[in-house]
C-alpha cells in the first residue's frame, strides 16, 4: 500500500500523493523502511570515512616533537579524605531524611483523607501502605547514616591531625632547594614537566621510606600537598 512517511499514513492503491501534506507517497511502508536503512548505513559509512581522513590529515600536519618538549599532564590524585567522606555522609543523611519525611507526610495525608487518590479502595490502601513503608525505610537509612557520621567525623579529625604531623615532619627536613639538588644529582638535564614528576617521585619515596606509610593513595595525597607548598605557593 502507498505510504506517506511524513504523516505515517497508508493509502489505497492508485493514490500517489498524500492527501494531508501533498508529499509524494512511497511504494509501501516496508519499501520506505528498507530504503531508510540503506541511507542511514551509507551516511554512517561516509561519516566514518570523513573522520578517518581528517585524523590522518591532522597526524600528517602535526610536527614531531621530542617527548621532553611536550607538555606532560600533571597526575590526578584519587585519594578521598575522611573529611570528604563525612561531607558525603552528611549529604546522604539530609537527602534520605528529606525524602523519608516527604513520603511519610504524603502517606499520612492520604490516610487522613486530605489527599484523595483516584484508586479503588483496595488499590488506595495498598498504595498508602507501600508509601508509608518507603517513608519508614528512608528515615531508618537516614538515622543509620547519622550514627555512622559520628564515628566518621572522629576518624576525619584523627586523619587531619596525622596529615598535619606528617607534613610538618617532611618540611622540617626538606625544602625546595634540597629536593632540587637531590633530583639534579641523578638527573642533571631535567627541566619542566619531567622535573616536576621527579620531584613528586622523590617526595613519595621520602614518605614511604621515612615513615613507612602503606597506603599508596594517601602517600600521593601527601606528596601533592608538599609539592603545592614548596613549588606552587
Amino acid at each position: 500500500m502507498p505510504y506517506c512517511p511524513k504523516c505515517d499514513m497508508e493509502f489505497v492503491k492508485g493514490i500517489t500523493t498524500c492527501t494531508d501534506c501533498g508529499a509524494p507517497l512511497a511504494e509501501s511502508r516496508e519499501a520506505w523502511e528498507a530504503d531508510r536503512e540503506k541511507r542511514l548505513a551509507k551516511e554512517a559509512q561516509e561519516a566514518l570515512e570523513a573522520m578517518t581522513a581528517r585524523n590522518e590529515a591532522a597526524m600528517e600536519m602535526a610536527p614531531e616533537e621530542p617527548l621532553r618538549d611536550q607538555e606532560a599532564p600533571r597526575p590526578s590524585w584519587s585519594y578521598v579524605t575522611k573529611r570528604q567522606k563525612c561531607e558525603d555522609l552528611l549529604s546522604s543523611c539530609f537527602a534520605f531524611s528529606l525524602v523519608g519525611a516527604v513520603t511519610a507526610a504524603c502517606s499520612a495525608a492520604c490516610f487522613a483523607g486530605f489527599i484523595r487518590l483516584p484508586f479503588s479502595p483496595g488499590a488506595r490502601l495498598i498504595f498508602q501502605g507501600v508509601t508509608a513503608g518507603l517513608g519508614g525505610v528512608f528515615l531508618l537509612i537516614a538515622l543509620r547514616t547519622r550514627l555512622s557520621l559520628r564515628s566518621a567525623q572522629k576518624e576525619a579529625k584523627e586523619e587531619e591531625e596525622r596529615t598535619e604531623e606528617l607534613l610538618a615532619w617532611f618540611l622540617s627536613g626538606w625544602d625546595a632547594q634540597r629536593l632540587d639538588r637531590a633530583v639534579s644529582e641523578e638527573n642533571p638535564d631535567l627541566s619542566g614537566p619531567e622535573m616536576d614528576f621527579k620531584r613528586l617521585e622523590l617526595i613519595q619515596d621520602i614518605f614511604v621510606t621515612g615513615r613507612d606509610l602503606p597506603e599508596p593513595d594517601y602517600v600521593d595525597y601527601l606528596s601533592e600537598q608538599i609539592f603545592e607548598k614548596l613549588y606552587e605557593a
Side-chain angles (χ1 to χ4, degrees), residues 198-227:
K198 288 299 181 181
R199 288 166 173 165
L200 284 167
E201 287 181 359
L202 178 57
I203 295 171
Q204 292 166 357
D205 290 340
I206 294 171
F207 273 121
V208 172
T209 58
R211 297 301 297 264
D212 192 26
L213 299 178
E215 310 98 323
D217 290 343
Y218 185 55
V219 172
D220 291 342
Y221 171 73
L222 292 172
S223 301
E224 174 68 3
Q225 299 297 308
I226 293 295
F227 187 92

Side-chain angles (χ1 to χ4, degrees), residues 4-116:
C4 177
K6 183 177 180 180
C7 301
D8 192 26
M9 294 176 57
E10 291 183 327
F11 297 86
V12 297
K13 291 183 179 181
I15 298 178
T16 57
T17 57
C18 179
T19 57
D20 284 355
C21 66
L25 301 178
E27 180 181 351
S28 63
R29 180 192 294 268
E30 293 77 11
W32 179 83
E33 291 179 349
D35 184 61
R36 177 172 175 270
E37 292 295 330
K38 292 179 181 179
R39 291 198 308 272
L40 291 176
K42 183 179 179 181
E43 292 174 358
Q45 181 63 28
E46 291 175 350
L48 179 60
E49 292 175 354
M51 183 178 65
T52 302
R54 287 196 300 269
N55 291 339
E56 292 177 352
M59 292 178 63
E60 292 176 357
M61 294 176 62
E64 295 184 0
E65 299 179 357
L67 180 60
R68 173 176 292 180
D69 296 334
Q70 296 178 358
E71 183 67 22
R74 287 283 301 280
S76 59
W77 310 116
S78 59
Y79 185 73
V80 180
T81 65
K82 295 187 184 300
R83 180 62 60 188
Q84 291 172 319
K85 294 179 180 179
C86 285
E87 294 174 356
D88 292 340
L89 282 175
L90 184 60
S91 298
S92 298
C93 180
F94 176 78
F96 280 117
S97 298
L98 180 61
V99 174
V102 171
T103 305
C106 289
S107 177
C110 291
F111 274 112
F114 295 113
I115 299 177
R116 298 187 178 276

